């Protein structure tokens, strides 16, 4: 990469008293990249994240945003430029949803009309009907709705960078998955630079352009989900990736379209999968129906190809 | 403390209650001097039945002034201290402040008065000092509870969004702590109304005067008059607090 990374950590260290929470970490994150920090509890993920918006001051090394050392930027101005969403949302309980979302635009002294327009735009974007939710208080929201408001608030002033600390960690599995789906879809549209912390490897694999595996304050390995699954650096990364379960995890990252044969040779329409579904699901369907070959059916219900177990085996998925 | 009196009144209705009690107080002030016939049966032998030494209005205003000054100081000091020890630069004193606030509840007001006399003499000054010291503690305690009770995640988010410490104080901490703080001030003022009456024993001019005189002269009519005025005054102020306490629903 020749251009300046949006966020650059250069040998960044954080010590709390005698304890070193983050130990000489170096990391470049490009503009528009979805970077996920993953690792066991207490390995320094949150500390790393919170150093980027100066909620925690780093002890050593340098952090740059667009080439500028963050120590040169006033912390409050820096934070207003960076979205921040946390697991417990931290919504203001005495403010309505609309007012919560308008927090940073308010700090930046946007006009009332511009703020209101932006709040409505974000509520629509996150699937919160303004007529229903704008005047509600946080206590009246479900966990998933509150987290959507938290994400909307983080995006309100259209920051280039979004920091998210286990934002979906407290949600039930179904809500969590649908929010992951939506965040991925959203990122496709808004292309922010996202640093996302989680200890849930499935979540990390699903969301990341780049995975950064941390252990005891250090980076153990980084790369695309595929790269890590194909060649985990050591036993720790292997076990974090699910050990012997990682064959299925990797299959879950690959769409059916990549391995399907275009010829459809008069297959029955059942059992079938869609081209944008993943190979893990396809394997499950094969197991269920005890077949080695599936029809691939597009959105209009037409057979557009076939998927063969033997191709999966050859591809080394 | 009389919240149960008007549980279903609207906001408008809640504002009406203190007005009614206030009107009752004024009514009492004008009626008492002419109510000899009503009190005679309590003191059939006495030469005077209605407390004669001071106008009730003068006693009431004096009483209110003492409590007003003392409560004003107690609020300033109590809220100020609660805010100070919850700032990053004052955190070191938080344990001390908490202990002080907890300890004060076990200390009877009469003891505070008795302690104030040797150093400050008799009259209004030691009464005010005792009222401030005693009234400070519930305000401090509730102030601390209100601010410490705020979800740390909310404060973390506020900082993370780029709010300044001043903005966090005014838009977050004070509004969220206000109901608990107000409850402390309410307790302090209501207790202060009653405690100020004890100031009469050390020479402050308060609504306690008729009560002390009544006890000394064995005149139950005086006692009842003082007690009535103190009671209605306390209820007026308490309902005023009830009316201004914010509630979210
Ligand atoms: N404010 C703090 N003071 C002292 N130690 C801290 C503080 N914040 C975090 N730590 C320590 O730093 C280490 C890393 O914490 P953290 O970054 O929160 O881990 P993670 O988010 O990966 O679970 C932990 O050992 C934690 O106890
Ligand atoms: Mg953490």
């Amino acid at each position: 990469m020749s251009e300046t990374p949006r966020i650059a950590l250069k040998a960044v260290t954080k010590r709390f008293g005698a304890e070193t929470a983050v130990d000489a970490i170096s990391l470049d994150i490009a503009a528009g990249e979805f970077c996920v920090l993953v690792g066991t509890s207490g390995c320094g993920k949150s500390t790393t994240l919170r150093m980027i918006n100066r909620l925690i001051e780093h002890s050593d090394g340098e952090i740059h945003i667009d080439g500028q050392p963050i120590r040169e930027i006033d912390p409050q101005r820096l934070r207003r430029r960076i979205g921040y969403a946390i697991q417990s949302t931290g919504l203001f309980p005495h403010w309505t949803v609309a007012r919560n979302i308008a927090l940073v635009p308010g700090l930046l002294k946007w006009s009332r009309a511009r703020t209101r327009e932006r709040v409505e735009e974000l509520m629509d974007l996150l699937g919160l009907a303004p007529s229903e939710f704008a005047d509600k208080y946080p206590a009246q929201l479900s966990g998933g709705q509150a987290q959507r408001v938290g994400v909307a608030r983080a995006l309100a002033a259209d920051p280039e960078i979004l920091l998210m600390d286990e934002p979906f960690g407290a949600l039930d599995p179904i809500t969590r998955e649908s929010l992951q789906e939506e965040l991925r879809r959203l990122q496709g549209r808004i292309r922010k630079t996202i640093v996302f912390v989680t200890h849930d490897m499935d979540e990390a694999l699903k969301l990341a352009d780049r995975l950064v595996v941390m252990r005891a304050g250090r980076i153990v390995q980084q790369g695309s989900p595929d790269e890590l699954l194909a060649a985990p650096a050591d036993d720790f990364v292997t076990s974090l990736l699910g050990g012997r379960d990682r064959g299925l995890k990797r299959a879950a990252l690959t769409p059916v379209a990549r391995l399907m044969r275009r010829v459809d040779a008069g297959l029955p329409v059942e059992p079938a999968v869609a081209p944008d579904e993943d190979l893990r699901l396809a394997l499950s369907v094969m197991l269920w129906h005890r077949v080695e070959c599936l029809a691939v059916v597009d959105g209009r219900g037409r057979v557009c190809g076939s998927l063969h177990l033997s191709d999966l085996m050859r591809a080394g998925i | 403390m009389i919240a149960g009196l008007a549980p279903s009144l609207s906001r408008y209705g809640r504002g009406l209650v203190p007005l009614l009690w206030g009107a009752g107080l004024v009514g009492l002030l004008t009626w008492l001097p002419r109510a000899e016939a009503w009190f005679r049966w309590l003191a059939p032998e006495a030469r005077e039945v209605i407390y004669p030494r001071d106008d009730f209005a003068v006693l009431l205003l004096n009483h209110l002034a003492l409590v007003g000054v003392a409560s004003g100081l107690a609020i300033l000091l109590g809220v100020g201290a609660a805010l100070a020890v919850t700032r990053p630069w004052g955190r070191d004193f938080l344990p001390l402040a908490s202990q002080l606030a907890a300890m004060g509840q076990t200390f009877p007001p009469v003891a505070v008065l008795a302690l104030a006399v040797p150093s400050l003499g008799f009259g209004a000054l030691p009464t005010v000092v005792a009222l401030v010291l005693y009234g400070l503690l519930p305000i401090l305690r509730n102030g601390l509870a209100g601010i410490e009770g705020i979800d740390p995640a909310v404060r973390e988010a506020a900082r993370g969004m780029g709010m300044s410490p001043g903005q966090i104080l005014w838009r977050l901490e004070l509004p969220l702590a206000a109901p608990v703080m107000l409850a402390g001030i309410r307790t302090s003022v209501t207790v202060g109304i009653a405690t100020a009456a004890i100031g009469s024993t050390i020479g402050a001019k308060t609504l306690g005067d008729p009560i002390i005189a009544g006890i000394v002269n064995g005149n139950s009519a005086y006692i009842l008059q003082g007690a009535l005025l103190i009671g209605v005054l306390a209820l007026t102020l308490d309902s005023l607090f009830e009316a201004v306490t914010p509630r979210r629903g």
Side-chain angles (χ1 to χ4, degrees):
Chain A
M1 249 181 306
S2 57
E3 48 188 304
T4 324
R6 174 128 283 150
I7 306 171
L9 279 68
K10 300 173 195 282
V12 173
T13 296
K14 177 65 196 181
R15 284 180 290 269
F16 293 110
E19 186 195 0
T20 304
V22 173
D23 192 3
I25 275 189
S26 293
L27 180 64
D28 283 352
I29 302 167
E33 194 170 25
F34 198 134
C35 176
V36 177
L37 306 182
V38 66
T40 47
S41 187
C43 70
K45 307 180 294 292
S46 297
T47 304
T48 304
L49 195 76
R50 293 158 47 106
M51 284 192 291
I52 296 174
N53 64 3
R54 292 187 67 180
L55 281 175
I56 296 177
E57 297 290 346
H58 48 289
S59 320
D60 253 319
E62 285 199 17
I63 300 177
H64 292 189
I65 287 180
D66 293 326
Q68 188 184 15
I70 60 169
R71 280 203 217 271
E72 290 176 3
I73 311 171
D74 171 71
Q76 277 145 36
R77 297 211 7 221
L78 177 76
R79 290 175 201 145
R80 290 170 194 179
R81 278 174 47 189
I82 299 179
Y84 186 51
I86 54 179
Q87 177 171 336
S88 35
T89 71
L91 295 177
F92 293 8
H94 59 311
W95 284 11
T96 61
V97 165
R99 196 163 172 214
N100 264 290
I101 297 174
L103 174 62
V104 182
L107 297 177
L108 295 173
K109 309 239 182 317
W110 285 19
S111 75
R112 190 165 300 194
R114 183 179 173 202
T115 304
R116 217 186 49 197
E117 199 177 313
R118 177 68 178 155
V119 168
E120 288 197 358
E121 180 188 347
L122 279 165
M123 291 187 71
D124 284 332
L125 199 62
L126 284 148
L128 298 158
S131 58
E132 190 185 345
F133 290 102
D135 295 326
K136 285 205 163 145
Y137 285 91
Q140 299 169 291
L141 303 176
S142 73
Q145 288 161 352
Q147 200 50 255
R148 284 164 201 266
V149 177
V151 174
R153 178 178 64 176
L155 289 171
D158 208 10
E160 294 296 335
I161 297 171
L162 187 55
L163 306 179
M164 310 182 87
D165 195 343
E166 307 205 22
F168 310 141
L171 304 176
D172 65 85
I174 293 175
T175 311
R176 188 186 319 158
E177 269 192 44
S178 77
L179 274 171
Q180 287 164 355
E181 240 4 277
E182 279 184 59
L183 180 61
R184 211 159 68 150
R185 180 182 55 82
L186 194 65
Q187 169 66 349
R189 287 176 58 179
I190 61 181
R191 284 281 152 211
K192 301 292 180 193
T193 307
I194 301 181
V195 188
F196 186 107
V197 163
T198 181
H199 62 254
D200 175 353
M201 185 51 90
D202 287 324
E203 181 170 80
L205 288 170
K206 186 184 281 180
L207 293 173
D209 296 326
R210 184 137 58 102
L211 262 173
V212 177
V213 180
M214 290 182 65
R215 182 186 197 184
R218 292 174 167 277
I219 293 178
V220 186
Q221 188 178 12
Q222 53 174 306
S224 71
D226 228 24
E227 284 165 5
L228 260 67
L229 281 164
D234 58 19
D235 290 348
F236 173 72
V237 181
T238 307
S239 80
L240 212 59
L241 285 167
R244 292 163 70 192
D245 200 29
R246 69 184 192 281
L248 283 178
K249 288 197 194 302
R250 198 168 178 206
L253 296 177
T254 318
V256 165
R258 197 182 302 170
L259 285 189
M260 80 179 190
R261 297 182 192 173
R262 295 282 161 189
V263 288
D264 51 358
L267 273 166
V269 189
E270 277 288 321
V273 287
D276 57 350
E277 284 177 318
D278 64 63
L279 291 180
R280 185 185 204 278
L281 183 92
L283 272 170
S284 173
V285 175
M286 287 178 183
L287 274 173
W288 187 256
H289 291 279
R290 298 173 193 287
V291 296
E292 293 186 2
C293 174
L294 298 175
V296 182
V297 173
D298 66 16
R300 278 167 294 181
R302 286 186 321 201
V303 176
C304 59
S306 58
L307 183 72
H308 298 259
L309 185 59
S310 55
D311 292 345
L312 265 68
M313 296 302 136
R314 253 198 302 282
I317 292 294
Chain B
M1 273 156 223
I2 53 157
L5 215 64
S8 59
L9 284 181
S10 64
R11 218 188 148 69
Y12 177 71
R14 285 201 293 144
L16 219 60
V17 178
L19 281 181
L20 288 176
W21 282 115
L25 194 58
V26 173
L28 205 55
L29 281 178
T30 47
W31 173 72
L32 275 180
R34 289 167 227 159
E36 173 156 1
W38 290 79
F39 286 94
R40 174 51 76 186
W41 63 277
L42 275 170
E45 311 293 317
R47 200 153 43 84
E48 302 265 13
V49 174
I50 305 300
Y51 181 72
R53 220 166 304 158
D54 279 295
D55 203 18
F56 285 123
V58 171
L59 292 178
L60 176 78
L61 287 180
N62 237 311
H63 195 108
L64 267 180
L66 281 177
V67 176
V69 169
S71 294
L73 286 171
I75 292 169
L76 274 179
L77 290 172
V79 173
L83 292 181
V85 300
T86 49
R87 299 309 97 186
W89 43 264
R91 280 257 157 210
D92 290 349
F93 295 96
L94 180 56
L96 180 69
S98 308
Q99 277 165 8
L100 215 64
M103 205 176 63
Q105 294 317 105
T106 61
F107 218 77
V110 183
V112 181
L113 275 182
L115 287 175
V117 168
S119 48
L120 297 166
F122 287 86
L125 184 64
T127 307
V128 168
V129 169
L131 283 177
V132 170
L133 287 180
Y134 200 62
L136 186 64
L137 298 168
I139 296 177
L140 177 61
R141 185 180 38 140
N142 279 38
L144 289 177
I147 290 175
E148 294 288 281
I150 297 172
D151 180 358
V154 173
R155 207 177 266 126
E156 155 98 2
R159 265 183 7 105
M161 298 291 139
M163 289 176 92
S164 68
Q167 288 166 333
I168 293 177
L169 177 65
W170 286 102
R171 300 191 199 173
L172 195 69
E173 296 185 302
L174 285 177
L176 285 178
V180 183
M181 277 187 173
L182 259 176
I185 292 172
R186 180 177 177 175
T187 306
S188 170
V189 171
T190 316
V191 170
I193 297 278
T195 311
I198 305 175
S200 289
T201 59
I202 58 164
K205 191 175 288 234
T206 77
L207 288 173
D209 285 12
I211 297 179
I212 304 293
I215 292 170
V216 171
N217 303 328
N219 186 329
S220 307
Y222 292 178
I223 298 180
L224 183 60
Q225 287 149 28
L228 267 176
L229 284 166
I230 292 173
V232 176
L233 178 61
L235 288 173
T236 307
L237 286 179
D238 194 63
S239 62
L240 196 63
F241 276 109
E242 173 69 17
V244 301
T245 299
R247 63 193 59 187
R248 228 179 315 128

PDB file of all heavy atoms in Angstrom, chain B residues 127-147:
ATOM      1  N   THR B 127     -27.384  28.672  65.988  1.00  0.00           N
ATOM      2  CA  THR B 127     -28.493  27.903  65.417  1.00  0.00           C
ATOM      3  C   THR B 127     -28.256  27.649  63.939  1.00  0.00           C
ATOM      4  O   THR B 127     -28.424  26.530  63.443  1.00  0.00           O
ATOM      5  CB  THR B 127     -29.824  28.660  65.618  1.00  0.00           C
ATOM      6  OG1 THR B 127     -29.963  28.975  66.996  1.00  0.00           O
ATOM      7  CG2 THR B 127     -30.992  27.825  65.174  1.00  0.00           C
ATOM      8  N   VAL B 128     -27.856  28.716  63.227  1.00  0.00           N
ATOM      9  CA  VAL B 128     -27.592  28.550  61.791  1.00  0.00           C
ATOM     10  C   VAL B 128     -26.460  27.553  61.568  1.00  0.00           C
ATOM     11  O   VAL B 128     -26.552  26.661  60.714  1.00  0.00           O
ATOM     12  CB  VAL B 128     -27.261  29.908  61.127  1.00  0.00           C
ATOM     13  CG1 VAL B 128     -26.716  29.699  59.724  1.00  0.00           C
ATOM     14  CG2 VAL B 128     -28.500  30.781  61.086  1.00  0.00           C
ATOM     15  N   VAL B 129     -25.400  27.689  62.367  1.00  0.00           N
ATOM     16  CA  VAL B 129     -24.262  26.782  62.195  1.00  0.00           C
ATOM     17  C   VAL B 129     -24.702  25.333  62.412  1.00  0.00           C
ATOM     18  O   VAL B 129     -24.393  24.442  61.612  1.00  0.00           O
ATOM     19  CB  VAL B 129     -23.115  27.147  63.166  1.00  0.00           C
ATOM     20  CG1 VAL B 129     -22.050  26.062  63.172  1.00  0.00           C
ATOM     21  CG2 VAL B 129     -22.502  28.480  62.763  1.00  0.00           C
ATOM     22  N   ALA B 130     -25.472  25.127  63.479  1.00  0.00           N
ATOM     23  CA  ALA B 130     -25.931  23.764  63.753  1.00  0.00           C
ATOM     24  C   ALA B 130     -26.828  23.257  62.620  1.00  0.00           C
ATOM     25  O   ALA B 130     -26.707  22.105  62.177  1.00  0.00           O
ATOM     26  CB  ALA B 130     -26.687  23.732  65.068  1.00  0.00           C
ATOM     27  N   LEU B 131     -27.709  24.127  62.133  1.00  0.00           N
ATOM     28  CA  LEU B 131     -28.609  23.724  61.041  1.00  0.00           C
ATOM     29  C   LEU B 131     -27.825  23.394  59.774  1.00  0.00           C
ATOM     30  O   LEU B 131     -28.143  22.439  59.067  1.00  0.00           O
ATOM     31  CB  LEU B 131     -29.610  24.844  60.739  1.00  0.00           C
ATOM     32  CG  LEU B 131     -30.778  25.006  61.716  1.00  0.00           C
ATOM     33  CD1 LEU B 131     -31.640  26.203  61.315  1.00  0.00           C
ATOM     34  CD2 LEU B 131     -31.620  23.744  61.735  1.00  0.00           C
ATOM     35  N   VAL B 132     -26.802  24.194  59.483  1.00  0.00           N
ATOM     36  CA  VAL B 132     -25.988  23.934  58.293  1.00  0.00           C
ATOM     37  C   VAL B 132     -25.298  22.576  58.424  1.00  0.00           C
ATOM     38  O   VAL B 132     -25.376  21.733  57.526  1.00  0.00           O
ATOM     39  CB  VAL B 132     -24.945  25.040  58.065  1.00  0.00           C
ATOM     40  CG1 VAL B 132     -23.961  24.626  56.974  1.00  0.00           C
ATOM     41  CG2 VAL B 132     -25.622  26.344  57.673  1.00  0.00           C
ATOM     42  N   LEU B 133     -24.640  22.380  59.572  1.00  0.00           N
ATOM     43  CA  LEU B 133     -23.899  21.130  59.759  1.00  0.00           C
ATOM     44  C   LEU B 133     -24.834  19.931  59.644  1.00  0.00           C
ATOM     45  O   LEU B 133     -24.530  18.940  58.981  1.00  0.00           O
ATOM     46  CB  LEU B 133     -23.220  21.120  61.135  1.00  0.00           C
ATOM     47  CG  LEU B 133     -22.010  22.028  61.269  1.00  0.00           C
ATOM     48  CD1 LEU B 133     -21.413  21.931  62.665  1.00  0.00           C
ATOM     49  CD2 LEU B 133     -20.955  21.653  60.218  1.00  0.00           C
ATOM     50  N   TYR B 134     -25.989  20.060  60.297  1.00  0.00           N
ATOM     51  CA  TYR B 134     -26.894  18.923  60.306  1.00  0.00           C
ATOM     52  C   TYR B 134     -27.564  18.729  58.946  1.00  0.00           C
ATOM     53  O   TYR B 134     -27.761  17.608  58.490  1.00  0.00           O
ATOM     54  CB  TYR B 134     -27.947  19.110  61.396  1.00  0.00           C
ATOM     55  CG  TYR B 134     -28.580  17.810  61.785  1.00  0.00           C
ATOM     56  CD1 TYR B 134     -27.815  16.792  62.343  1.00  0.00           C
ATOM     57  CD2 TYR B 134     -29.927  17.580  61.556  1.00  0.00           C
ATOM     58  CE1 TYR B 134     -28.377  15.589  62.681  1.00  0.00           C
ATOM     59  CE2 TYR B 134     -30.495  16.372  61.898  1.00  0.00           C
ATOM     60  CZ  TYR B 134     -29.713  15.382  62.456  1.00  0.00           C
ATOM     61  OH  TYR B 134     -30.270  14.187  62.781  1.00  0.00           O
ATOM     62  N   GLY B 135     -27.885  19.868  58.284  1.00  0.00           N
ATOM     63  CA  GLY B 135     -28.591  19.791  57.005  1.00  0.00           C
ATOM     64  C   GLY B 135     -27.685  19.384  55.850  1.00  0.00           C
ATOM     65  O   GLY B 135     -28.131  18.898  54.813  1.00  0.00           O
ATOM     66  N   LEU B 136     -26.385  19.595  56.049  1.00  0.00           N
ATOM     67  CA  LEU B 136     -25.401  19.291  55.008  1.00  0.00           C
ATOM     68  C   LEU B 136     -25.371  17.804  54.666  1.00  0.00           C
ATOM     69  O   LEU B 136     -25.233  17.409  53.507  1.00  0.00           O
ATOM     70  CB  LEU B 136     -24.042  19.715  55.556  1.00  0.00           C
ATOM     71  CG  LEU B 136     -22.817  19.669  54.686  1.00  0.00           C
ATOM     72  CD1 LEU B 136     -22.990  20.655  53.558  1.00  0.00           C
ATOM     73  CD2 LEU B 136     -21.589  20.047  55.517  1.00  0.00           C
ATOM     74  N   LEU B 137     -25.531  16.984  55.707  1.00  0.00           N
ATOM     75  CA  LEU B 137     -25.221  15.567  55.531  1.00  0.00           C
ATOM     76  C   LEU B 137     -26.181  14.830  54.597  1.00  0.00           C
ATOM     77  O   LEU B 137     -25.727  14.121  53.705  1.00  0.00           O
ATOM     78  CB  LEU B 137     -25.117  14.898  56.895  1.00  0.00           C
ATOM     79  CG  LEU B 137     -23.963  15.560  57.685  1.00  0.00           C
ATOM     80  CD1 LEU B 137     -23.989  15.139  59.135  1.00  0.00           C
ATOM     81  CD2 LEU B 137     -22.624  15.224  57.060  1.00  0.00           C
ATOM     82  N   PRO B 138     -27.512  15.000  54.760  1.00  0.00           N
ATOM     83  CA  PRO B 138     -28.375  14.312  53.787  1.00  0.00           C
ATOM     84  C   PRO B 138     -28.157  14.815  52.361  1.00  0.00           C
ATOM     85  O   PRO B 138     -28.281  14.045  51.404  1.00  0.00           O
ATOM     86  CB  PRO B 138     -29.805  14.636  54.255  1.00  0.00           C
ATOM     87  CG  PRO B 138     -29.682  15.662  55.310  1.00  0.00           C
ATOM     88  CD  PRO B 138     -28.286  15.657  55.826  1.00  0.00           C
ATOM     89  N   ILE B 139     -27.812  16.094  52.228  1.00  0.00           N
ATOM     90  CA  ILE B 139     -27.578  16.640  50.877  1.00  0.00           C
ATOM     91  C   ILE B 139     -26.327  16.023  50.278  1.00  0.00           C
ATOM     92  O   ILE B 139     -26.307  15.589  49.119  1.00  0.00           O
ATOM     93  CB  ILE B 139     -27.465  18.170  50.937  1.00  0.00           C
ATOM     94  CG1 ILE B 139     -28.795  18.764  51.408  1.00  0.00           C
ATOM     95  CG2 ILE B 139     -27.084  18.734  49.574  1.00  0.00           C
ATOM     96  CD1 ILE B 139     -28.777  20.265  51.583  1.00  0.00           C
ATOM     97  N   LEU B 140     -25.276  15.941  51.086  1.00  0.00           N
ATOM     98  CA  LEU B 140     -24.028  15.333  50.615  1.00  0.00           C
ATOM     99  C   LEU B 140     -24.247  13.862  50.264  1.00  0.00           C
ATOM    100  O   LEU B 140     -23.839  13.393  49.194  1.00  0.00           O
ATOM    101  CB  LEU B 140     -22.959  15.469  51.712  1.00  0.00           C
ATOM    102  CG  LEU B 140     -21.600  14.824  51.415  1.00  0.00           C
ATOM    103  CD1 LEU B 140     -20.971  15.448  50.182  1.00  0.00           C
ATOM    104  CD2 LEU B 140     -20.659  14.980  52.611  1.00  0.00           C
ATOM    105  N   ARG B 141     -24.928  13.165  51.180  1.00  0.00           N
ATOM    106  CA  ARG B 141     -25.131  11.729  50.970  1.00  0.00           C
ATOM    107  C   ARG B 141     -25.913  11.467  49.684  1.00  0.00           C
ATOM    108  O   ARG B 141     -25.518  10.659  48.847  1.00  0.00           O
ATOM    109  CB  ARG B 141     -25.885  11.143  52.167  1.00  0.00           C
ATOM    110  CG  ARG B 141     -26.060   9.642  52.117  1.00  0.00           C
ATOM    111  CD  ARG B 141     -26.798   9.208  53.342  1.00  0.00           C
ATOM    112  NE  ARG B 141     -27.826  10.226  53.636  1.00  0.00           N
ATOM    113  CZ  ARG B 141     -29.046   9.953  54.040  1.00  0.00           C
ATOM    114  NH1 ARG B 141     -29.415   8.738  54.217  1.00  0.00           N
ATOM    115  NH2 ARG B 141     -29.902  10.920  54.283  1.00  0.00           N
ATOM    116  N   ASN B 142     -27.016  12.197  49.501  1.00  0.00           N
ATOM    117  CA  ASN B 142     -27.809  11.978  48.289  1.00  0.00           C
ATOM    118  C   ASN B 142     -27.105  12.486  47.040  1.00  0.00           C
ATOM    119  O   ASN B 142     -27.259  11.913  45.968  1.00  0.00           O
ATOM    120  CB  ASN B 142     -29.177  12.637  48.421  1.00  0.00           C
ATOM    121  CG  ASN B 142     -30.147  11.786  49.203  1.00  0.00           C
ATOM    122  OD1 ASN B 142     -29.752  11.151  50.180  1.00  0.00           O
ATOM    123  ND2 ASN B 142     -31.382  11.737  48.763  1.00  0.00           N
ATOM    124  N   GLY B 143     -26.339  13.560  47.204  1.00  0.00           N
ATOM    125  CA  GLY B 143     -25.570  14.059  46.065  1.00  0.00           C
ATOM    126  C   GLY B 143     -24.599  12.992  45.577  1.00  0.00           C
ATOM    127  O   GLY B 143     -24.503  12.715  44.371  1.00  0.00           O
ATOM    128  N   LEU B 144     -23.913  12.364  46.509  1.00  0.00           N
ATOM    129  CA  LEU B 144     -22.968  11.306  46.149  1.00  0.00           C
ATOM    130  C   LEU B 144     -23.703  10.122  45.521  1.00  0.00           C
ATOM    131  O   LEU B 144     -23.299   9.605  44.478  1.00  0.00           O
ATOM    132  CB  LEU B 144     -22.194  10.835  47.381  1.00  0.00           C
ATOM    133  CG  LEU B 144     -21.170  11.831  47.935  1.00  0.00           C
ATOM    134  CD1 LEU B 144     -20.517  11.276  49.192  1.00  0.00           C
ATOM    135  CD2 LEU B 144     -20.119  12.144  46.885  1.00  0.00           C
ATOM    136  N   ALA B 145     -24.811   9.727  46.177  1.00  0.00           N
ATOM    137  CA  ALA B 145     -25.565   8.584  45.641  1.00  0.00           C
ATOM    138  C   ALA B 145     -26.053   8.882  44.232  1.00  0.00           C
ATOM    139  O   ALA B 145     -25.991   8.031  43.343  1.00  0.00           O
ATOM    140  CB  ALA B 145     -26.738   8.261  46.554  1.00  0.00           C
ATOM    141  N   GLY B 146     -26.527  10.101  44.006  1.00  0.00           N
ATOM    142  CA  GLY B 146     -27.049  10.479  42.687  1.00  0.00           C
ATOM    143  C   GLY B 146     -25.977  10.401  41.617  1.00  0.00           C
ATOM    144  O   GLY B 146     -26.212   9.863  40.532  1.00  0.00           O
ATOM    145  N   ILE B 147     -24.809  10.931  41.913  1.00  0.00           N
ATOM    146  CA  ILE B 147     -23.763  10.977  40.883  1.00  0.00           C
ATOM    147  C   ILE B 147     -23.096   9.612  40.711  1.00  0.00           C
ATOM    148  O   ILE B 147     -22.861   9.160  39.590  1.00  0.00           O
ATOM    149  CB  ILE B 147     -22.731  12.054  41.233  1.00  0.00           C
ATOM    150  CG1 ILE B 147     -23.402  13.424  41.051  1.00  0.00           C
ATOM    151  CG2 ILE B 147     -21.503  11.959  40.340  1.00  0.00           C
ATOM    152  CD1 ILE B 147     -22.555  14.569  41.461  1.00  0.00           C
TER     153      ILE B 147
END
